[in-house]
């Protein structure tokens, strides 16, 4: 230590030596899993219409070009989304005595997963699945149909018809929700009518032009969405007949 008190005092008031700057945290690498997570976040918070490669890249804090090392295009993201949702589907062991109930259970689960992400079922329409989880669920549905004695071609066509209905149902529900939100924002628009309003409109139609609609208005608008969903699937499933032995 310096014996000179002036130097000691000066040393006490000197600026401390600058500490070495901490290294900047490394960015998480872009992966297929993170891309899928980000895409689901966009759909959950903004709806499927908002889903673009640029929007997914923004959620990940990167540019669109970074994603192309892992995906081919927007259709590839769609395939990943449906695969991620189908990974949540638990398939039952095919039971020849309960195959109709099993089909209804699997498709009800798929419907509920679609409804959690507004509009996402559009990603399943007009698409050839390549994701292993999507193919796993398709295989399971086919196995249930075959266990019920359904002829293979009929089973394949039935699976397509059932899947199409479920996707369309979920898409319609998401559109209804979207219109209700817009209606709340603009009270002048009446895109979605209540049960009572729809009944009033049907019963107020000219009797000479719409006799059946007026007479059966209450029956035409009866039932909840889930009621009608189960009814439509029942029409398809219950008309499948096991092949003659």
């Amino acid at each position: 230590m310096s014996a000179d008190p002036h130097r000691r005092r000066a040393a006490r008031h000197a600026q401390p030596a600058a500490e070495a700057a901490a290294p900047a945290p490394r960015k998480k690498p872009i992966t297929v899993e993170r891309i899928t997570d980000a895409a689901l976040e966009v759909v959950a918070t903004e709806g499927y219409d908002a889903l673009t490669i640029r929007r997914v890249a923004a959620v990940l804090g990167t540019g669109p070009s970074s994603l192309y090392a892992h995906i081919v295009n927007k259709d590839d993201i769609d395939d990943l989304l449906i695969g991620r949702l189908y990974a949540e589907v638990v398939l039952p062991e095919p039971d020849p005595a309960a195959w109709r109930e099993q089909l209804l259970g699997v498709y009800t689960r798929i419907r509920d997963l679609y409804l959690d992400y507004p509009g996402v079922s559009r990603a399943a329409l007009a698409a050839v699945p390549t994701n292993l989880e999507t193919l796993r669920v398709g295989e399971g549905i086919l196995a249930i149909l075959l266990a019920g004695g359904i002829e293979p071609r009929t089973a394949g066509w039935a699976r397509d018809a059932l899947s199409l209905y479920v996707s369309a149902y979920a898409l319609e529900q998401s559109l209804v929700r979207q219109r209700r939100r817009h209606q709340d924002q603009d009270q002048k628009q009446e895109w979605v009518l209540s049960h009572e309003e729809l009944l009033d409109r049907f019963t107020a139609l000219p009797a000479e032009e719409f006799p059946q609609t007026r007479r059966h208005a209450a029956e035409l608008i009866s039932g909840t969405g889930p009621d009608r969903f189960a009814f439509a699937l029942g029409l398809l499933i219950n008309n499948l007949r096991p092949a003659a032995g």
Side-chain angles (χ1 to χ4, degrees):
M1 177 181 296
S2 171
D4 187 337
H6 295 289
R7 290 185 180 180
R8 289 203 304 272
R9 186 171 183 274
R12 284 202 308 270
H13 292 282
Q15 292 294 325
E19 295 183 3
R26 293 180 60 187
K27 284 188 176 181
K28 286 185 178 180
I30 302 298
T31 64
V32 169
E33 287 298 313
R34 291 191 65 216
I35 291 172
T36 308
D37 289 342
L40 279 174
E41 180 182 333
V42 171
V43 177
T45 57
E46 304 173 42
Y48 180 79
D49 287 342
L51 183 65
T52 63
I53 289 179
R54 186 173 296 277
R55 186 72 193 92
V56 172
V59 170
L60 293 171
T62 187
S65 59
S66 300
L67 273 58
Y68 286 110
H70 306 276
I71 61 168
V72 178
N73 50 28
K74 166 64 165 47
D75 292 339
D76 206 7
I77 292 182
D78 287 345
D79 195 38
L80 290 170
L81 284 176
I82 300 303
R84 173 66 69 80
L85 295 183
Y86 276 32
E88 301 295 322
V89 177
V90 177
L91 295 167
E93 186 67 28
D95 182 353
W99 65 274
R100 289 186 173 91
E101 293 80 3
Q102 289 183 330
L103 280 179
L104 181 59
V106 170
Y107 277 114
T108 299
R109 176 59 174 152
I110 292 172
R111 176 204 66 186
D112 292 344
L113 288 166
Y114 284 160
L115 293 177
D116 286 340
Y117 296 92
V120 76
S121 64
R122 193 185 310 171
L125 295 169
V128 177
T130 60
N131 188 280
L132 291 180
E133 287 294 346
T134 309
L135 293 171
R136 176 187 67 86
V137 172
E139 172 74 12
I141 291 170
L142 185 60
I144 293 171
L145 285 159
L146 294 175
I150 306 303
E151 184 267 337
R153 188 180 76 166
T154 301
W157 289 15
R159 183 181 65 177
D160 287 350
L162 289 162
S163 298
L164 178 61
Y165 172 73
V166 173
S167 295
Y169 173 90
L171 180 57
E172 182 186 51
Q173 291 298 307
S174 72
L175 291 174
V176 169
R177 292 179 187 178
Q178 185 180 61
R179 286 183 171 181
R180 279 182 177 147
R181 285 197 300 271
H182 291 167
Q183 182 171 306
D184 291 341
Q185 295 166 5
D186 185 354
Q187 297 299 324
K188 297 178 183 178
Q189 306 260 350
E190 291 189 359
W191 294 113
V192 182
L193 301 178
S194 69
H195 185 278
E196 292 75 17
E197 289 170 328
L198 191 56
L199 183 62
D200 288 344
R201 292 199 180 190
F202 278 4
T203 54
L205 290 169
E208 62 278 9
E209 295 179 55
F210 303 95
Q212 306 307 327
T213 301
R214 279 176 56 106
R215 183 176 298 117
H216 304 293
E219 289 81 4
L220 293 176
I221 64 174
S222 64
T224 64
D227 291 337
R228 289 173 173 251
F229 176 85
F231 171 79
L233 253 64
L235 284 180
L236 292 169
I237 294 171
N238 293 333
N239 279 286
L240 293 171
R241 295 288 180 265

